[in-house]
Amino acid sequence: MKQSLINLILFSDRRKDLLLLLREEPKDVDTIKELLNVDAGSIQPHIKKMVDANLIIEEKKVYRLSEIGKIIVENLEPLLNVIEVFEADDDYWKTRDLSPIPDFLLERIDELRHCKLLEPDVEHLLETPKVFLENFLSSKEVLTFVSYFHPEAPSLYAGIVENDTKHVLCMTENVVDRLFSSFPEEADRLSKSKNSKMFVCRKPAPIPSIVVTDRFLALKLFENDGKLRDQILISTEEKALGWGKELFWHCMQMAEPLGERSGF
């Protein structure tokens, strides 16, 4: 019975690795064994199956992708990257509401492939995680969209703009209220700083928060039931930063500049 190409490729890590390896350039079996860290006995059956399926071509004991193999590999890698994103933190992703993320970003969610999930530390629940703080304070440009209030945030925001960091800060109305009523000094410093641009979002927030800078991305998403857990996706990868900036500006489409405090 002939095996389908989907089963042939996706049900074997060896065969997936082999296809991705040959994408770079043709290789002989010794090079394949070395790079995949396998012996001849374990890789030869897979090579034969790929040759029989016309995904790989052998010429003078050197293996290369066929034209069909090239097309499949070109489309295979993005799929594998998406799977890698969800498999890395399976419990997290299956409980998160992804509906607020626009389709054009969901289609590129593989760009979050190297994100790490920061779990809450029971002993330091009200403290900003160290890795977040270090990256935040060393950034030169910061974009923040936030729909919940954190007591350490006002001093952090005021501190970075007075240290020549450019900060675009968008808050929901409840956060703006809390900032100006409970932290008037920090709010005043932010309002007067040439490095600070503040906006208000009067509509229901699509996401709890996103912070994206020239150094890192930190993202929180609501759970499927609308609740918020203190878990942060964080990455310093360039692709993740670009993805995060696009999500930030997407959220900013429902924002307006924050005017005078009276009625903002």
Side-chain angles (χ1 to χ4, degrees), residues 166-180:
K166 298 185 184 303
H167 191 193
V168 178
L169 172 60
C170 183
M171 303 164 282
T172 49
E173 290 183 280
N174 63 305
V175 178
V176 172
D177 258 333
R178 184 80 179 275
L179 172 65
F180 280 87

Side-chain angles (χ1 to χ4, degrees), residues 120-129 149-153 156 230:
D121 184 343
V122 177
E123 296 182 1
H124 305 89
L125 282 177
L126 298 181
E127 297 179 16
T128 305
F149 190 84
H150 193 291
E152 291 185 349
L156 286 176
D230 194 19

Side-chain angles (χ1 to χ4, degrees), residues 170-264:
C170 183
M171 303 164 282
T172 49
E173 290 183 280
N174 63 305
V175 178
V176 172
D177 258 333
R178 184 80 179 275
L179 172 65
F180 280 87
S181 62
S182 301
F183 294 83
E185 179 184 342
E186 288 83 354
D188 186 61
R189 288 159 60 192
L190 280 167
S191 299
K192 292 179 178 178
S193 173
K194 61 179 175 43
N195 293 316
S196 174
K197 294 182 179 179
M198 293 195 290
F199 295 81
V200 59
C201 176
R202 302 183 189 277
K203 298 180 180 179
I207 59 174
S209 72
I210 183 171
V211 177
V212 58
T213 80
D214 52 296
R215 290 183 58 89
F216 82 119
L217 162 70
L219 173 66
K220 284 188 178 182
L221 298 171
F222 289 114
E223 294 189 349
N224 288 322
D225 58 5
K227 294 181 180 178
L228 174 62
R229 288 187 61 191
D230 194 19
Q231 294 174 307
I232 306 174
L233 283 173
I234 193 164
S235 178
T236 57
E237 294 286 326
E238 185 176 348
K239 283 188 176 182
L241 270 58
W243 190 96
K245 287 178 181 177
E246 291 187 54
L247 179 58
F248 171 83
W249 290 114
H250 173 78
C251 293
M252 283 288 288
Q253 292 177 7
M254 60 183 70
E256 59 188 68
L258 185 62
E260 294 297 325
R261 176 63 189 117
S262 54
F264 3 126

Side-chain angles (χ1 to χ4, degrees), residues 58-70:
E58 179 189 0
E59 293 178 345
K60 297 179 180 179
K61 297 184 179 181
V62 173
Y63 298 93
R64 64 177 175 85
L65 293 177
S66 67
E67 291 304 311
I68 293 175
K70 290 177 183 177

Side-chain angles (χ1 to χ4, degrees), residues 31-100:
T31 304
I32 292 171
K33 289 190 301 181
E34 179 182 354
L35 294 177
L36 294 183
N37 193 27
V38 296
D39 56 43
S42 63
I43 197 61
Q44 286 287 9
H46 295 296
I47 292 177
K48 184 179 185 307
K49 287 183 178 182
M50 303 296 256
V51 170
D52 291 344
N54 195 35
L55 298 179
I56 291 175
I57 294 173
E58 179 189 0
E59 293 178 345
K60 297 179 180 179
K61 297 184 179 181
V62 173
Y63 298 93
R64 64 177 175 85
L65 293 177
S66 67
E67 291 304 311
I68 293 175
K70 290 177 183 177
I71 294 170
I72 288 176
V73 169
E74 186 162 337
N75 290 277
L76 174 65
E77 188 172 20
L79 171 62
L80 295 178
N81 290 342
V82 169
I83 292 172
E84 185 179 332
V85 169
F86 294 135
E87 281 187 339
D89 296 293
D90 176 65
D91 289 338
Y92 175 84
W93 286 108
K94 70 185 180 184
T95 59
R96 287 308 176 277
D97 180 11
L98 301 182
S99 62

